Amino acid sequence: MAQSTSSPFLTSPSLFIGGLISLIFVALALLSFFWTPHDALSVDILARLKPISTTYWLGTDQYGRDLFSMIMLGARNSIAVALVAVGIGILLGVPLGTWAAAKGGWLDEAFMRTGDFIFAFPALISAIMITALLGPGAINAIIAIGIFNIPVFARLSRGAALGLWTRDFILAARLSGKNAAHITWEHILPNIANLLIVQGTIQFSLGILAEASLSYVGLGTQPPMPSWGKMLFEAQTMMAFAPQLAIIPGLAIILTVLGLNLLGDGLRDWLDPKTTRKQEGDLLS
Amino acid sequence: MSLLSLSSLSLTIGQSKILKDINLHLHAGKCLGLVGESGSGKSMTALSIMHLLPHDSTLYGSIELEGVKLTELDEKALCQKRGDRMAMIFQEPMTALNPLKTIGNQIGESLLLHRDINRREAQEKSAQLLERVGLPPKHVSPKRYPHQLSGGQRQRVVIAMAIAMKPALLIADEPTTALDVTTQAQILTLLKDLIVRDNMALLLISHDLAVVADMADHIAIMKEGKIVEQGPVPELFDQLTHPYSQNLFKASTHSPKRSKPPLYFDDPSLSQTTQILHASMISRDYPLPRQFPTFKKRNFRAVNKLDLTIHGGQSVGLVGESGCGKSTLARTLLGLDAPQEGSVTIGQHNPFTATKETLLSLRKDIQIVFQDPNGSFNPRHSVGRSVAEPLHLHRHNISQKERMEKITQVFEQVGLNPSHASRYPHEFSGGQRQRLAIARALITHPKIIIADEPVSALDVSIRAQILDLLTHLREELNIAYLFISHDLSVVREITDEVLVMYQGEIVERGKTRDIFDNPRHPYTQKLIKAAPDLVATIERRKSENQDR
């Protein structure tokens, strides 16, 4: 009884751990706007390859830049790119998906087959192609990742909306003279919001991975701005005698993705009406 | 000695007591009926006998089958009993069957599991069993998959699986609730035949007193995990002493009291009033998927050249089995799905050709109440908001104050507390939710309400209350009803006129009394004969007793 009334973040370990890790990285990214331990962009050859110490919390790289500061700026970068890319996916994908579900017929077919067409391309290879066409840079990386998020959200929201459209309360809304857009806004969206949040966190982690990959091949964030993917690339030549240069940004990527996936899993369990209903049942008994 | 006996059986799951001191006895070749409303513990009693309980449950007392105490057996010994000495039939035949296996193989499987026979013998045996339950292999191949069968045929397959090992005890949990009345009658006949010829004991669980009165030799009435009353049929019905069982009996035979005389279609006063709903020669087709190799366009005609007229204040019933086109017709009459042929007129206008402004005012005149009280409200909106939704038809010509007044008024009309309008659907019971659905239909002061199976999902006592409410509202507000139902007893009580629908067409129409007393069309005759009627059944059982 006491358990089910307390915050879900305390009862579900995946929600707690995932939420905590994600929160730490977001906090680091936000902090980097105001303060970093050192200037992440200044090259100081004298201080190159310093080990982990109280001055350099995670040591320095071959150009003497502070690794911790670079991780903070890289987090800002990764989060910004992934967030905007997921935003593009939701803002374009959800309206397209719910529109297709509401209208049906050839429009539905056209949207979904276009989605299938986009899915047929390996996302990362195509993102590389797009950035190669548009030129490298953070903005183009966002566009490239965002485009592949659109069909994901379109498909998800269409499927969920189709199920809802057959429900009686939608029929009642139609009888109340509400048009499809109005019904979608009032009845469909609130009922698929939890699905979108869960998928959003998962796409967010995929976006971070994609940004790292694009930066690794030199098509994402451009120097001098640090990025986790680029840090991995630069560490490659030093692997033999300074493996920590690769391990630290690698760990940052793994932790963030793991944290977001845990958060997504936890949110799914928490928002799923079935598990919520079970908790209500516990409360009653 | 009795075949099955439960003595002072109690069950707790977690902290809650589910069953309290159950005592039941069942002899071979007899049928024991277990009656009660949802949540009374009927199904848990059955699952306790099978020992198919959740992990955190504890059983007290004893269950004896053929002299063996099941409560003392371990899981392995119980597995041998299950399916072999005792078998169970569930409500929903589709979920009880494996959709990926042919029906022949599914029956053969349990034979292979419990008996030392080879695959060929199992196949022969399963063909025999299918023949036994009325699915002769000549007509229904054992190589079919569950989705290729009708609901009644699927339930027959489930029964064939259950009787495969010739169990001593057969437990049927609401075996006919998901089926049409005519199919229900066939399945019940089959079960009766199994009891008599194979000397099987049947524990029949049902919410429908009429079904149990027809089948059982002994009835136990359950409420909140307790047996409140039990006794032999038909004597029990004369000696009901517990107030709950008396209420249950009353609710099952309930007929809403009406003060106004019925209004028939040939009433002279109707020619002066305008019709509020009219359909002439409407047909509605659904496209079927195109098939290899011709890819011809194919259609399924759900409604075929149908005429219908309803005047103000009339109460018209529409009866038919599932798939006959009732719900399609409702959607067409509501002006949601346009018919391919013919025309619909609500008031003076055709909703499919009307201008937007006319359509808005038309919609105020016609509203609907759905079958499933769970699905008819958006779970994320407060019920007040949902009930007020049709006020959207007024667009912005309605002030917040008027809106609140209207919500209060309809809440009071359906007997709910207006201060509960800010609550959410899950905080209400099924019956209350159905009241809310009626409130939503009333809020625009409609001239006609289409009620699509409004009481089918409700318990008997709640059903009686909702029927009373609908009757009362009709008399007070002079609303016309189109009452769609598969349940003849409900239609009989609440309508003046009835239309019988079969395969998209109206096969018979007339005054309700006339049709029930003197059905002309063979389908109507079949339907009325198959419908369980509690009073008539008790009379019949009594006369059978005297003959003996």
Side-chain angles (χ1 to χ4, degrees), chain B residues 309-363:
Chain B
T309 307
I310 299 176
H311 290 270
Q314 271 193 297
S315 174
V316 179
L318 181 69
V319 181
E321 300 194 332
S322 52
C324 75
K326 289 175 302 195
S327 295
T328 308
L329 177 65
R331 292 169 71 94
T332 306
L333 293 177
L334 286 164
L336 292 174
D337 293 349
Q340 269 84 8
E341 290 165 31
S343 69
V344 176
T345 321
I346 302 171
Q348 312 273 348
H349 304 275
N350 183 335
F352 301 108
T353 55
T355 61
K356 209 179 158 201
E357 283 72 32
T358 335
L359 191 59
L360 285 183
S361 69
L362 279 189
R363 290 233 190 275

Coordinates of all heavy atoms in Angstrom, one line a residue, chain B residues 309-363:
Chain B
T309 N -39.5 3.8 -40.6 CA -40.1 5.1 -40.3 C -40.3 5.1 -38.8 O -40.9 4.2 -38.2 CB -41.4 5.4 -41.0 OG1 -41.2 5.1 -42.4 CG2 -41.9 6.8 -40.8
I310 N -39.9 6.2 -38.1 CA -40.2 6.3 -36.7 C -40.8 7.7 -36.4 O -40.2 8.7 -36.9 CB -38.9 6.1 -35.8 CG1 -38.4 4.7 -36.1 CG2 -39.2 6.3 -34.4 CD1 -37.1 4.4 -35.4
H311 N -41.9 7.7 -35.8 CA -42.5 9.0 -35.4 C -42.2 9.3 -34.0 O -41.7 8.5 -33.2 CB -44.1 8.9 -35.5 CG -44.5 8.7 -37.0 ND1 -44.8 9.8 -37.7 CD2 -44.7 7.7 -37.7 CE1 -45.2 9.4 -38.9 NE2 -45.1 8.1 -39.0
G312 N -42.5 10.6 -33.6 CA -42.2 11.1 -32.3 C -42.8 10.2 -31.2 O -44.0 9.8 -31.3
G313 N -42.1 9.9 -30.2 CA -42.6 9.2 -29.0 C -42.7 7.7 -29.2 O -43.1 7.0 -28.3
Q314 N -42.4 7.1 -30.4 CA -42.5 5.7 -30.6 C -41.3 5.0 -30.0 O -40.2 5.5 -29.9 CB -42.5 5.4 -32.1 CG -43.9 5.4 -32.7 CD -43.9 4.8 -34.1 OE1 -43.2 5.3 -35.0 NE2 -44.6 3.7 -34.2
S315 N -41.6 3.7 -29.6 CA -40.5 2.9 -29.2 C -40.4 1.7 -30.0 O -41.3 0.8 -30.0 CB -40.7 2.5 -27.7 OG -39.7 1.6 -27.3
V316 N -39.4 1.6 -30.9 CA -39.3 0.6 -31.9 C -38.1 -0.3 -31.5 O -37.0 0.2 -31.2 CB -39.1 1.2 -33.3 CG1 -38.9 0.1 -34.3 CG2 -40.3 2.1 -33.6
G317 N -38.3 -1.6 -31.6 CA -37.2 -2.5 -31.3 C -36.6 -3.1 -32.6 O -37.4 -3.3 -33.6
L318 N -35.3 -3.4 -32.6 CA -34.7 -4.0 -33.8 C -34.0 -5.2 -33.3 O -33.0 -5.1 -32.5 CB -33.8 -3.0 -34.5 CG -33.1 -3.5 -35.7 CD1 -34.1 -3.7 -36.9 CD2 -32.0 -2.6 -36.2
V319 N -34.5 -6.4 -33.7 CA -33.9 -7.6 -33.2 C -33.2 -8.4 -34.3 O -33.6 -8.4 -35.4 CB -35.1 -8.5 -32.7 CG1 -34.5 -9.8 -32.1 CG2 -35.9 -7.8 -31.6
G320 N -32.1 -9.0 -33.9 CA -31.4 -9.8 -34.9 C -30.1 -10.3 -34.2 O -29.7 -9.9 -33.2
E321 N -29.5 -11.3 -34.9 CA -28.3 -11.9 -34.3 C -27.1 -11.2 -34.8 O -27.1 -10.3 -35.6 CB -28.2 -13.4 -34.7 CG -29.5 -14.1 -34.2 CD -29.3 -15.6 -34.3 OE1 -28.6 -16.1 -35.1 OE2 -29.9 -16.3 -33.5
S322 N -25.9 -11.5 -34.2 CA -24.7 -10.8 -34.5 C -24.4 -11.0 -36.0 O -24.6 -12.1 -36.5 CB -23.6 -11.2 -33.6 OG -23.4 -12.6 -33.7
G323 N -24.0 -9.9 -36.6 CA -23.6 -10.0 -38.0 C -24.8 -9.8 -39.0 O -24.7 -9.9 -40.2
C324 N -26.0 -9.5 -38.4 CA -27.1 -9.3 -39.3 C -27.2 -7.9 -39.9 O -28.1 -7.6 -40.7 CB -28.4 -9.7 -38.6 SG -29.0 -8.4 -37.5
G325 N -26.4 -7.0 -39.4 CA -26.4 -5.6 -40.0 C -27.0 -4.6 -39.1 O -27.2 -3.5 -39.5
K326 N -27.3 -5.0 -37.8 CA -27.9 -4.0 -36.9 C -27.1 -2.8 -36.7 O -27.5 -1.6 -36.8 CB -28.1 -4.7 -35.5 CG -29.2 -5.7 -35.5 CD -29.2 -6.4 -34.1 CE -27.8 -7.0 -33.8 NZ -27.8 -7.8 -32.7
S327 N -25.8 -3.0 -36.4 CA -25.0 -1.9 -36.0 C -24.6 -1.0 -37.2 O -24.5 0.2 -37.1 CB -23.7 -2.4 -35.4 OG -24.0 -3.0 -34.1
T328 N -24.5 -1.7 -38.4 CA -24.3 -0.9 -39.6 C -25.5 0.0 -39.9 O -25.3 1.2 -40.2 CB -24.1 -1.9 -40.8 OG1 -23.1 -2.8 -40.5 CG2 -23.8 -1.1 -42.1
L329 N -26.6 -0.6 -39.7 CA -27.9 0.2 -39.9 C -27.9 1.4 -38.9 O -28.2 2.5 -39.3 CB -29.1 -0.7 -39.6 CG -30.4 0.0 -39.7 CD1 -30.7 0.5 -41.2 CD2 -31.6 -0.9 -39.3
A330 N -27.5 1.2 -37.7 CA -27.5 2.3 -36.7 C -26.6 3.4 -37.2 O -26.9 4.6 -37.1 CB -27.0 1.7 -35.3
R331 N -25.4 3.0 -37.7 CA -24.4 4.1 -38.1 C -25.0 4.8 -39.3 O -24.7 6.0 -39.4 CB -23.1 3.4 -38.4 CG -22.4 2.9 -37.2 CD -21.2 2.0 -37.6 NE -20.1 2.9 -38.2 CZ -19.1 3.3 -37.4 NH1 -19.0 3.0 -36.2 NH2 -18.2 4.1 -38.0
T332 N -25.7 4.1 -40.2 CA -26.2 4.8 -41.3 C -27.3 5.8 -40.9 O -27.4 6.9 -41.4 CB -26.8 3.8 -42.3 OG1 -25.7 2.9 -42.6 CG2 -27.2 4.4 -43.6
L333 N -28.2 5.3 -40.0 CA -29.3 6.1 -39.5 C -28.8 7.4 -38.8 O -29.4 8.4 -38.9 CB -30.3 5.3 -38.6 CG -31.0 4.2 -39.3 CD1 -31.9 3.4 -38.3 CD2 -31.9 4.7 -40.4
L334 N -27.7 7.2 -38.1 CA -27.1 8.3 -37.4 C -26.5 9.4 -38.3 O -26.1 10.5 -37.9 CB -26.1 7.9 -36.4 CG -26.5 7.2 -35.2 CD1 -25.4 6.4 -34.5 CD2 -27.1 8.1 -34.2
G335 N -26.4 9.0 -39.6 CA -25.8 10.0 -40.5 C -24.3 9.9 -40.6 O -23.7 10.9 -40.9
L336 N -23.7 8.8 -40.1 CA -22.3 8.7 -40.1 C -21.7 8.0 -41.3 O -20.7 8.5 -41.9 CB -21.8 8.0 -38.8 CG -22.0 8.7 -37.5 CD1 -21.7 7.8 -36.4 CD2 -21.2 10.0 -37.5
D337 N -22.3 6.9 -41.7 CA -21.9 6.2 -42.9 C -23.0 6.3 -44.0 O -24.1 5.9 -43.8 CB -21.6 4.7 -42.6 CG -20.5 4.5 -41.7 OD1 -19.7 5.5 -41.5 OD2 -20.3 3.4 -41.2
A338 N -22.6 6.9 -45.1 CA -23.6 7.1 -46.2 C -24.0 5.8 -46.8 O -23.2 4.9 -47.0 CB -23.1 8.0 -47.2
P339 N -25.3 5.5 -47.1 CA -25.7 4.3 -47.8 C -25.4 4.4 -49.3 O -25.3 5.5 -49.8 CB -27.2 4.3 -47.5 CG -27.6 5.7 -47.3 CD -26.5 6.4 -46.7
Q340 N -25.1 3.3 -49.9 CA -24.9 3.3 -51.3 C -26.1 3.6 -52.1 O -26.1 4.2 -53.2 CB -24.3 1.9 -51.8 CG -22.8 1.9 -51.7 CD -22.2 1.5 -50.3 OE1 -23.0 1.2 -49.4 NE2 -20.9 1.6 -50.2
E341 N -27.3 3.1 -51.6 CA -28.5 3.3 -52.3 C -29.5 3.8 -51.3 O -29.4 3.5 -50.1 CB -29.1 2.0 -52.9 CG -28.3 1.6 -54.1 CD -28.7 0.1 -54.4 OE1 -29.8 -0.3 -54.2 OE2 -27.8 -0.6 -54.9
G342 N -30.6 4.5 -51.7 CA -31.6 4.9 -50.9 C -31.3 6.2 -50.1 O -30.2 6.7 -50.3
S343 N -32.2 6.6 -49.2 CA -32.0 7.9 -48.5 C -32.4 7.8 -47.1 O -33.3 7.0 -46.7 CB -32.7 9.0 -49.3 OG -34.1 8.9 -49.1
V344 N -31.8 8.6 -46.3 CA -32.1 8.7 -44.8 C -32.6 10.1 -44.6 O -32.1 11.0 -45.1 CB -30.9 8.4 -44.0 CG1 -31.2 8.6 -42.5 CG2 -30.3 7.0 -44.2
T345 N -33.7 10.2 -43.8 CA -34.2 11.6 -43.5 C -34.3 11.7 -42.0 O -35.0 10.9 -41.4 CB -35.6 11.8 -44.2 OG1 -35.6 11.3 -45.4 CG2 -35.9 13.3 -44.2
I346 N -33.6 12.6 -41.4 CA -33.8 12.9 -40.0 C -34.6 14.2 -39.9 O -34.1 15.3 -40.5 CB -32.4 13.1 -39.3 CG1 -31.6 11.8 -39.5 CG2 -32.6 13.4 -37.8 CD1 -30.2 12.0 -39.0
G347 N -35.8 14.2 -39.3 CA -36.6 15.4 -39.4 C -37.0 15.6 -40.8 O -37.7 14.8 -41.4
Q348 N -36.6 16.7 -41.4 CA -36.9 17.1 -42.8 C -35.8 16.9 -43.7 O -35.9 17.0 -44.9 CB -37.4 18.5 -42.9 CG -38.3 19.0 -41.8 CD -39.8 18.7 -42.3 OE1 -40.0 18.4 -43.4 NE2 -40.7 18.8 -41.3
H349 N -34.6 16.6 -43.2 CA -33.4 16.7 -44.1 C -32.6 15.4 -44.2 O -32.7 14.6 -43.3 CB -32.5 17.8 -43.5 CG -33.1 19.1 -43.4 ND1 -33.2 20.0 -44.4 CD2 -33.7 19.7 -42.3 CE1 -33.8 21.1 -44.0 NE2 -34.2 20.9 -42.7
N350 N -31.9 15.3 -45.3 CA -31.0 14.1 -45.5 C -29.7 14.5 -44.9 O -29.0 15.5 -45.4 CB -31.0 13.8 -47.0 CG -30.1 12.6 -47.2 OD1 -29.2 12.3 -46.5 ND2 -30.4 12.0 -48.4
P351 N -29.2 13.8 -43.9 CA -27.9 14.2 -43.3 C -26.7 14.2 -44.2 O -25.7 14.8 -44.0 CB -27.7 13.2 -42.1 CG -28.6 12.1 -42.5 CD -29.7 12.6 -43.3
F352 N -26.8 13.4 -45.3 CA -25.7 13.2 -46.2 C -25.6 14.3 -47.2 O -24.6 14.4 -47.9 CB -25.7 11.8 -46.8 CG -25.7 10.7 -45.8 CD1 -26.8 10.0 -45.6 CD2 -24.5 10.5 -45.1 CE1 -26.8 9.0 -44.6 CE2 -24.5 9.5 -44.1 CZ -25.7 8.8 -43.9
T353 N -26.7 15.1 -47.4 CA -26.6 16.1 -48.4 C -26.9 17.5 -47.8 O -26.8 18.5 -48.4 CB -27.7 15.9 -49.5 OG1 -29.0 15.8 -48.8 CG2 -27.5 14.6 -50.3
A354 N -27.2 17.5 -46.5 CA -27.5 18.8 -45.8 C -26.3 19.7 -45.7 O -25.1 19.2 -45.8 CB -28.0 18.5 -44.4
T355 N -26.6 21.0 -45.6 CA -25.5 21.9 -45.4 C -25.0 21.8 -44.0 O -25.6 21.1 -43.1 CB -26.0 23.4 -45.6 OG1 -27.0 23.6 -44.6 CG2 -26.5 23.6 -46.9
K356 N -23.8 22.4 -43.7 CA -23.2 22.2 -42.4 C -24.1 22.7 -41.3 O -24.2 22.1 -40.3 CB -21.9 23.0 -42.4 CG -20.9 22.4 -41.5 CD -19.5 23.1 -41.5 CE -18.8 22.8 -40.2 NZ -17.8 23.8 -39.9
E357 N -24.7 23.9 -41.5 CA -25.6 24.4 -40.4 C -26.8 23.5 -40.1 O -27.1 23.2 -39.0 CB -26.1 25.8 -40.8 CG -25.1 26.9 -40.7 CD -24.0 26.9 -41.7 OE1 -24.4 26.4 -42.9 OE2 -22.9 27.2 -41.5
T358 N -27.4 23.0 -41.2 CA -28.6 22.1 -41.0 C -28.1 20.8 -40.3 O -28.8 20.4 -39.4 CB -29.1 21.7 -42.4 OG1 -28.8 22.7 -43.3 CG2 -30.6 21.4 -42.3
L359 N -26.9 20.3 -40.7 CA -26.4 19.1 -40.1 C -26.2 19.3 -38.6 O -26.6 18.4 -37.8 CB -25.1 18.7 -40.8 CG -24.6 17.3 -40.4 CD1 -25.6 16.3 -40.9 CD2 -23.2 17.1 -41.1
L360 N -25.7 20.4 -38.2 CA -25.5 20.7 -36.8 C -26.8 20.6 -36.0 O -26.9 20.1 -34.9 CB -24.8 22.0 -36.6 CG -23.3 22.1 -36.9 CD1 -22.8 23.5 -36.6 CD2 -22.6 21.1 -36.1
S361 N -27.9 21.2 -36.6 CA -29.1 21.2 -35.9 C -29.8 19.8 -35.9 O -30.5 19.4 -35.0 CB -30.1 22.3 -36.4 OG -30.5 22.0 -37.7
L362 N -29.5 19.1 -37.0 CA -30.1 17.7 -37.2 C -29.5 16.8 -36.1 O -30.2 16.0 -35.5 CB -29.7 17.1 -38.5 CG -30.4 17.4 -39.7 CD1 -30.0 16.5 -40.9 CD2 -31.9 17.2 -39.5
R363 N -28.2 17.0 -35.9 CA -27.5 16.1 -34.9 C -28.0 16.2 -33.5 O -27.9 15.3 -32.7 CB -26.0 16.4 -34.9 CG -25.3 16.0 -36.2 CD -24.1 15.1 -35.9 NE -23.3 14.8 -37.0 CZ -23.5 13.8 -37.9 NH1 -24.6 13.1 -37.8 NH2 -22.7 13.7 -38.9

